[in-house]
Amino acid sequence: MDKSVFIGFVLLFFLACQKEQQPPGLTEPEPLLALPPGFPTPNFPADNELTAARFALGKRLFYDVAMSRDSTVSCASCHAPGRAFSDSVAFSSGVGGLPGKRNAPTLANVAYQPYFTREGGVPTLEMQILVPIQEHNEFDLNIFLIAERLKTDSMYVRMSQEAYDRDPDFYIITRGIACFERTLVSGQSRFDAFFYQGKNDALTAAERRGKDLFFSEKTNCSSCHEGFNFTNYAFENNGLYENYPDPGRFRLTEDTADIARFKVPTLRNVGVTEPFMHDGSLPTLAAVVDHYNSGGKSHSHKSALVKPLGLTAQEKADLVAFLESLTDEKFISNPKFK
Amino acid sequence: MKKGLLLLILATMISIGNAQNEIMLHLAPRLGNAVFSLNQAVDHPGGKYQMKYTRFEYYISEIKITHDGGQIEPCTGLTLLVRPAQDSMYSLGQMPGITNIEAITFSVGVPQSVNHLDPASYPPGDPLAPQIPDMHWGWVAGYRFAAVEGLAGANFSQNFQLHALGDANYKTQTILTKAEQVSPDIKMIHLIADYQQAMKSLNISGGLVVHGTTGAAVTLLNNFQSAVFKAESSTAVIDQAFAGEFEVSPNPVRDAAPQVNYSLPAGEGYALTVTDLTGKILARKALSAGENQSLLLEKMPTTGLFFVQLWQRGSLVAVEKLVVLN
């Protein structure tokens, strides 16, 4: 056997091995919408079905500072992928460094939200896109002016045509970003492996104890943080303050019964979305568990489910451990979303 | 003029029953007795200080026409975004079944069934699509029924902004009015819209910023319901003892230059002017006496109502309203 034939055999051997191992460059691309076990298919509106072109356009817009008046902030500025599309500070900064008024929520599984903002006044994700654009302490820009900026970019013109068969305008901005955000599905945490995929060793003993506490009548956590997305989307008061500077849902409804009620948030990826609460006032999960263990402050609208729990230090640590098991490492590092 | 008017009346009579019967709404923009314009100083309705508007926009919706013995014809699906600084005439659509208009009913704002829909779902240019400046408020997912801004107080140093909205503030009004047959095919409802009255009972001398559904926002929308609009008392054009003929054709004119046809009795000092609603003279031309003459005007710059006026030695002897629909 001459040398070249031998090298050929060696190469074939390696290629055969590589095929077995499925190197990343040769694997099937991840679908735009990857649904974990137990997750329903999100509803994409008839005029905004998911396509690769729309995903690409929306993703580009999501990360583009051209959305803001002074071109300093984008959607991703307050919704960072490494933090499950939330922010690390209580109040994110908008144009000119102006602080926001609410803690930026995670966008994980935003496709399943029945309404948007903490007071729930925005009925569709497409309409939610208009909110930060207008707010003076967020993007502070008219959507027409964003479209004018986009029209000067031939790449945007091409992508808009491919995605929606029209030049950049308010339609492609609201549709594109909403379409991208609906793909931000997170359900591959260790809890999911344990609960939906039957992998009993996916959770540690402490996490399993914490899970049992979480779903118990002793804590009532799962009465509000229920279902695959760990929320019932209701508007509740959890006794954070006796006097709330933020009127909550009352701001929208002007019904006094809604004073200081806020939409129950998802707990998915809660291990990386601190600080917590509508105002980002609780810095750690331990502080959140301490709050609920205390029964919260007195407030006429406080949920009857929020009451002193009498948890031991071990039980509190177990609850925190369980909550941290809800982190979807693949989701927060997925290059598809970056 | 008399002959021209007679021809117009005859044409009107002939047109009755014609399938083409466009109803138009003219909201004559006023600040008290003056023609409306932005940045124009005007007394606050309380009379104690002055104010000026820098922005004035509002929606009108659920328009219904009462006609021919109490029959009601809705302008289904029609929403108007009224910007008196830019426009004062709006088509309400073709309504071939209407002969005599008796009243108009409408609401300032957007009805609840529409108020919370997605503005980006409308085609560009639709009144309910996104606007510059915004007429939709994102976080409440609803429209500003009226957006009124301006300056008041000492040396106009105080800023006021009233953005009024809210389903509970959507109120209906009915105004008894007739319509003017401005052409064989078009009936025009003229309403006086006195925007000075929008600030009635609102103290803006020290500045006022209200974006919402309560307080001053409610007062503003109540004023729109009760104090701003009234029927124009007279739609008659000047018709003195002028023995000549004078008419503008076509009228209304669409995307074309109108022509003035005239016959002037012997005499001197005839002149023709074309003005807009504010009285600004857009064209002036000296005319000579004589029979069966014509003059081609330039195409009018915008849609709206204009006046073509005939003068003799400085006295107004005839006026024709010219409706331009570009």
Side-chain angles (χ1 to χ4, degrees):
Chain A
M1 185 184 298
D2 68 28
K3 202 178 209 175
S4 62
V5 172
F6 175 74
I7 291 171
F9 273 118
V10 171
L11 276 174
L12 276 173
F13 175 76
F14 273 108
L15 285 171
C17 289
Q18 284 178 342
K19 192 176 181 183
E20 292 260 325
Q21 291 170 349
Q22 289 283 343
L26 298 179
T27 54
E28 287 288 318
E30 188 181 348
L32 294 174
L33 182 66
L35 290 181
F39 275 51
T41 302
N43 178 33
F44 282 77
D47 72 342
N48 204 15
E49 299 277 6
L50 177 61
T51 69
R54 292 171 179 179
F55 174 91
L57 173 64
K59 180 176 162 182
R60 185 182 168 104
L61 288 165
F62 186 86
Y63 287 95
D64 197 337
V65 293
M67 296 286 290
S68 61
R69 178 170 50 77
D70 58 4
S71 296
T72 58
V73 287
S74 69
C75 305
S77 300
C78 308
H79 299 284
R83 301 188 65 87
F85 295 90
S86 71
D87 204 353
S88 60
V89 297
F91 299 120
S92 309
S93 295
V95 296
L98 290 172
K101 295 175 180 173
R102 303 261 176 83
N103 182 244
T106 175
L107 299 185
N109 300 331
V110 75
Y112 301 103
Q113 295 270 345
Y115 28 72
F116 303 89
T117 74
R118 299 272 183 181
E119 55 273 278
V122 180
T124 72
L125 197 48
E126 279 75 7
M127 292 176 75
Q128 197 283 328
I129 308 305
L130 296 168
V131 180
I133 292 174
Q134 291 178 353
E135 291 297 306
H136 296 312
N137 53 5
E138 296 187 51
F139 295 163
D140 192 27
L141 194 56
N142 184 286
I143 199 167
F144 276 96
L145 303 180
I146 298 174
E148 290 305 310
R149 291 178 177 182
L150 304 184
K151 285 175 184 172
T152 65
D153 184 333
S154 59
M155 176 69 81
Y156 266 124
V157 174
R158 183 180 62 76
M159 293 177 78
S160 297
Q161 285 290 344
E162 287 178 1
Y164 295 102
D165 196 25
R166 56 202 287 170
D167 284 342
D169 66 356
F170 55 74
Y171 189 88
I172 71 100
I173 294 169
T174 54
R175 267 59 190 167
I177 298 175
C179 190
F180 168 68
E181 289 182 347
R182 281 197 182 92
T183 69
L184 301 177
V185 173
S186 174
Q188 299 191 61
S189 66
R190 288 187 296 107
F191 164 78
D192 292 294
F194 177 91
F195 190 82
Y196 289 108
Q197 296 161 35
K199 296 178 180 175
N200 290 332
D201 60 349
L203 295 182
T204 67
E207 289 164 348
R208 287 199 298 272
R209 290 195 303 271
K211 172 187 69 66
D212 291 342
L213 270 173
F214 183 89
F215 288 103
S216 73
E217 291 185 1
K218 179 176 183 181
T219 66
N220 281 318
C221 301
S222 60
S223 294
C224 295
H225 297 287
E226 67 173 24
F228 74 97
N229 204 25
F230 289 85
T231 172
N232 61 2
Y233 310 106
F235 299 94
E236 298 288 359
N237 176 291
N238 64 1
L240 192 60
Y241 304 113
E242 289 184 0
N243 296 299
Y244 281 72
D246 187 328
R249 185 167 163 78
F250 172 80
R251 181 177 177 231
L252 174 75
T253 64
E254 293 172 1
D255 182 346
T256 54
D258 285 331
I259 288 175
R261 291 187 193 273
F262 299 86
K263 187 173 65 178
V264 173
T266 178
L267 296 188
R268 290 215 165 255
N269 301 292
V270 76
V272 296
T273 62
E274 76 278 8
F276 303 105
M277 304 297 153
H278 68 276
D279 58 357
S281 58
L282 298 184
T284 63
L285 284 174
V288 173
V289 171
D290 278 341
H291 165 74
Y292 284 109
N293 189 45
S294 74
K297 306 279 196 321
S298 174
H299 193 284
S300 58
H301 296 156
K302 187 172 76 173
S303 168
L305 297 170
V306 179
K307 55 192 177 187
L309 301 178
L311 298 175
T312 66
Q314 182 63 55
E315 287 174 321
K316 289 195 288 184
D318 290 345
L319 266 177
V320 170
F322 167 69
L323 292 169
E324 288 178 336
S325 79
L326 297 176
T327 300
D328 180 347
E329 296 290 344
K330 184 179 180 186
F331 175 70
I332 63 177
S333 61
N334 194 339
K336 181 177 76 170
F337 298 134
K338 296 182 179 175
Chain B
M1 180 64 191
K2 280 180 175 170
K3 193 181 284 184
L5 194 61
L6 181 63
L7 286 171
L8 186 64
I9 293 168
L10 282 172
T12 302
M13 293 174 68
I14 291 168
S15 76
I16 292 173
N18 189 315
Q20 294 297 310
N21 192 17
E22 185 174 8
I23 309 297
M24 296 197 70
L25 175 61
H26 173 215
L27 297 168
R30 298 276 191 275
L31 290 172
N33 293 323
V35 174
F36 174 92
S37 68
L38 294 177
N39 300 304
Q40 178 180 328
V42 63
D43 287 341
H44 182 271
K48 295 179 180 173
Y49 55 93
Q50 286 201 306
M51 62 181 190
K52 58 175 74 170
Y53 293 121
T54 56
R55 180 186 182 189
F56 204 104
E57 302 175 274
Y58 62 97
Y59 282 107
I60 283 182
S61 57
E62 293 193 330
I63 303 168
K64 296 172 186 159
I65 305 297
T66 305
H67 65 99
D68 301 302
Q71 301 178 66
I72 294 176
E73 181 83 16
C75 303
T76 306
L78 180 69
T79 302
L80 306 178
L81 176 50
V82 181
R83 291 174 163 140
Q86 299 174 21
D87 217 348
S88 63
M89 297 174 64
Y90 303 88
S91 176
L92 304 184
Q94 303 287 338
M95 301 181 193
I98 291 180
T99 301
N100 293 313
I101 289 176
E102 295 155 354
I104 181 169
T105 299
F106 59 92
S107 298
V108 168
V110 177
Q112 186 171 6
S113 60
V114 174
N115 195 19
H116 308 293
L117 302 180
D118 182 359
S121 65
Y122 295 94
D126 190 289
L128 293 168
Q131 305 288 329
I132 299 180
D134 286 310
M135 285 299 286
H136 182 266
W137 207 2
W139 79 268
V140 297
Y143 290 89
R144 295 170 168 93
F145 290 2
V148 178
E149 301 175 8
L151 301 167
N155 299 316
F156 298 106
S157 59
Q158 301 297 317
N159 175 55
F160 67 88
Q161 283 189 11
L162 295 169
H163 295 180
L165 56 149
D167 295 330
N169 298 323
Y170 184 75
K171 294 165 184 170
T172 300
Q173 60 186 297
T174 295
I175 296 175
L176 301 177
T177 183
K178 296 177 180 176
E180 180 187 18
Q181 191 82 40
V182 295
S183 83
D185 295 339
I186 297 179
K187 290 181 173 67
M188 181 85 72
I189 297 170
H190 297 277
L191 297 183
I192 299 287
D194 182 1
Y195 299 123
Q196 184 185 30
Q197 296 302 316
M199 290 296 112
K200 185 179 173 185
S201 304
L202 285 168
N203 183 357
I204 54 174
S205 61
L208 185 64
V209 177
V210 175
H211 296 181
T213 60
T214 57
V218 178
T219 306
L220 175 70
L221 292 172
N222 284 342
N223 290 340
F224 267 108
Q225 185 195 26
S226 61
V228 169
F229 302 102
K230 61 184 177 183
E232 193 175 47
S233 57
S234 170
T235 58
V237 296
I238 293 174
D239 185 13
Q240 299 176 349
F242 172 60
E245 294 178 11
F246 173 71
E247 66 167 3
V248 184
S249 176
N251 190 8
V253 58
R254 288 182 194 268
D255 293 319
Q259 179 170 295
V260 181
N261 302 313
Y262 59 97
S263 296
L264 303 180
E268 293 183 345
Y270 287 110
L272 179 119
T273 59
V274 180
T275 70
D276 64 16
L277 279 173
T278 70
K280 179 182 175 186
I281 296 176
L282 307 174
R284 183 194 297 271
K285 175 80 175 174
L287 302 180
S288 302
E291 294 287 318
N292 300 322
Q293 303 184 81
S294 65
L295 173 67
L296 191 62
L297 300 174
E298 289 189 15
K299 183 183 170 187
M300 294 294 111
T302 59
T303 293
L305 190 62
F306 297 83
F307 295 106
V308 182
Q309 300 159 317
L310 181 64
W311 305 78
Q312 188 177 23
R313 292 198 176 95
S315 296
L316 191 61
V317 295
V319 178
E320 282 246 350
K321 287 180 182 176
L322 172 61
V323 179
V324 177
L325 304 170
N326 286 337

